[in-house]
Amino acid sequence: MGIKPISFNPTIHLTKPQIIISPVRFYSSPPISSSSSIDSQGATKRSKVTIKTIGRMYRHNEPISVMTAQDYPSGMLVDRSGIDMCLVGDSLAMVALGYESTTSLTVDEMLHHCRAVARGSKNPFLVGDLPFGSFEASPVDAVRVAQRFIKEGNVEAVKLEGGLEMAEHIKAITRVGVPVMGHIGLTPQRSSALGGFRVQGKTCKQAQRLLADALALQEAGVFALVLEAMPAEIAGYITSKLKVPTIGIGAGVNCSGQVLVMNDIMGLFDRFVPKFTKEYANLNEIITNGLKEYNNDVKSRSFPEQKHTYPIDPVQLEKFWQAVEPDHDTEKKKRAVVA
């Protein structure tokens, strides 16, 4: 649109070097840095992404990046990567908990994972997925569970699956001040009714239904809409007809942003890789090889080495030997410890 993207990363101007001398601490691991502008790995901290930030990005045609997370470490990685939105997706049922589908996930399980992600993901806008069976029965149920996600899960918005039939539920949730992200197209929670994980919108009738769903959810008050597994042309047209951002997953490049599942793009899920996923790393192989090497080191007693152990003052050690075994030779004791 001819408008340069807005940067939300503050620039830090240092007029002179600062020398910080930390007191000696006898910890088994280094303390976490408390610097206000630099994180513990030396990365510059960025401004908090809010729902207004997302709106500005959409108006300025700046692509919106979204990534899933399911625990503190993955939430922290999303935070450090500069990604705009972090979704605690119900995909964690399969990729983190080993369920066969997302429908087995409970509200309490999701809240547990939301809290963990929230501890690690501080700057991205944080969204939690409402699990199957928690919101569909009535708008009252939808409001009740959405409020739990804000109060107990520490997220900033919720996402729910479904089209026109969920419009009244979304209106009820937004009416009490909870932002809602919609989700149409392939809706995994309804995969059984769809005949499996199948692409949607491949016929004229299906595509028209998706457009009607999208317009209904926009009218209901969603702040953004996930478009999953549909032809790029259909997703692009829907995007052009909306006044809220679309987040694509298997829906082409013409959406307002993109979302993927972290375990998929990092090669950590062991069952299948969706066609729409680009694998950016194969951590499954890297981690497995690392664990095999550790196992071999333990079996061969090559780990731990001296550098992995903690020293003791020789005088104190001699006192210890004299206290526990005063009649034994010190050198013999040392040899016994090494053996």
Side-chain angles (χ1 to χ4, degrees):
M1 294 176 64
I3 301 176
K4 295 182 178 180
I6 295 177
S7 172
F8 300 101
N9 293 334
T11 302
I12 299 174
H13 299 284
L14 296 178
T15 56
K16 57 184 179 180
Q18 298 178 344
I19 301 175
I20 301 175
I21 301 176
S22 299
V24 176
R25 291 179 171 89
F26 296 97
Y27 297 154
S28 60
S29 61
I32 298 174
S33 170
S34 60
S35 170
S36 60
S37 60
I38 304 295
D39 67 19
S40 59
Q41 291 190 351
T44 302
K45 291 184 178 179
R46 58 193 176 107
S47 299
K48 169 67 181 147
V49 178
T50 68
I51 196 167
K52 289 187 176 181
T53 309
I54 301 301
R56 284 198 301 268
M57 294 176 69
Y58 171 67
R59 291 192 298 274
H60 289 84
N61 200 30
E62 180 181 348
I64 301 165
S65 57
V66 188
M67 181 54 58
T68 68
Q70 65 267 354
D71 52 19
Y72 172 79
S74 58
M76 181 180 62
L77 293 173
V78 172
D79 188 58
R80 292 182 181 279
S81 67
I83 287 171
D84 303 309
M85 297 175 63
C86 182
L87 171 64
V88 189
D90 63 356
S91 57
L92 68 85
M94 301 172 70
V95 303
L97 300 181
Y99 290 132
E100 291 299 319
S101 71
T102 62
T103 57
S104 301
L105 199 64
T106 68
V107 170
D108 286 338
E109 286 173 325
M110 273 299 297
L111 290 173
H112 172 82
H113 285 272
C114 285
R115 288 191 293 268
V117 173
R119 296 182 195 112
S121 185
K122 299 298 185 182
N123 292 307
F125 189 67
L126 187 59
V127 183
D129 240 336
L130 300 185
F132 177 75
S134 67
F135 63 91
E136 298 93 338
S138 72
V140 173
D141 287 340
V143 169
R144 185 178 294 114
V145 72
Q147 289 176 325
R148 285 193 67 189
F149 269 65
I150 301 298
K151 293 175 65 175
E152 301 175 40
N154 298 326
V155 300
E156 298 166 287
V158 297
K159 182 175 79 67
L160 61 83
E161 296 182 8
L164 177 63
E165 73 284 358
M166 286 293 111
E168 290 303 317
H169 298 59
I170 292 170
K171 285 181 182 179
I173 297 172
T174 57
R175 196 177 294 126
V176 298
V178 177
V180 177
M181 174 184 280
H183 184 157
I184 63 172
L186 170 56
T187 46
Q189 292 178 4
R190 306 180 183 193
S191 59
S192 295
L194 297 174
F197 295 93
R198 304 174 67 87
V199 177
Q200 302 297 300
K202 295 183 71 174
T203 68
C204 176
K205 185 176 181 180
Q206 288 180 350
Q208 287 179 307
R209 175 57 189 267
L210 290 176
L211 176 61
D213 283 339
L215 292 171
L217 295 192
Q218 175 179 258
E219 181 66 22
V222 297
F223 76 91
L225 183 60
V226 172
L227 306 180
E228 181 168 357
M230 63 183 68
E233 295 86 350
I234 304 304
Y237 184 76
I238 291 173
T239 299
S240 72
K241 292 299 179 181
L242 296 181
K243 296 180 181 179
V244 296
T246 59
I247 306 299
I249 176 168
V253 74
N254 291 320
C255 296
S256 310
Q258 301 291 329
V259 60
L260 285 175
V261 176
M262 183 185 295
N263 292 55
D264 289 341
I265 73 167
M266 293 291 112
L268 284 170
F269 189 46
D270 61 338
R271 299 181 202 167
F272 60 86
V273 178
K275 179 181 179 180
F276 53 69
T277 293
K278 177 178 179 180
E279 194 171 283
Y280 287 85
N282 189 347
L283 296 188
N284 197 320
E285 181 179 344
I286 293 172
I287 293 172
T288 300
N289 288 339
L291 292 173
K292 286 180 178 179
E293 185 176 349
Y294 163 75
N295 183 55
N296 292 335
D297 283 356
V298 171
K299 299 296 185 182
S300 65
R301 296 190 183 277
S302 58
F303 174 83
E305 301 174 44
Q306 185 64 34
K307 63 183 179 182
H308 303 124
T309 61
Y310 300 100
I312 183 172
D313 186 311
V315 174
Q316 297 301 318
L317 181 59
E318 180 59 30
K319 287 183 178 179
F320 171 76
W321 289 132
Q322 292 300 323
V324 297
E325 294 190 34
D327 298 330
H328 287 74
D329 179 66
T330 299
E331 289 301 319
K332 190 178 294 184
K333 295 168 192 168
K334 291 180 179 178
R335 289 194 296 273
V337 169
V338 172

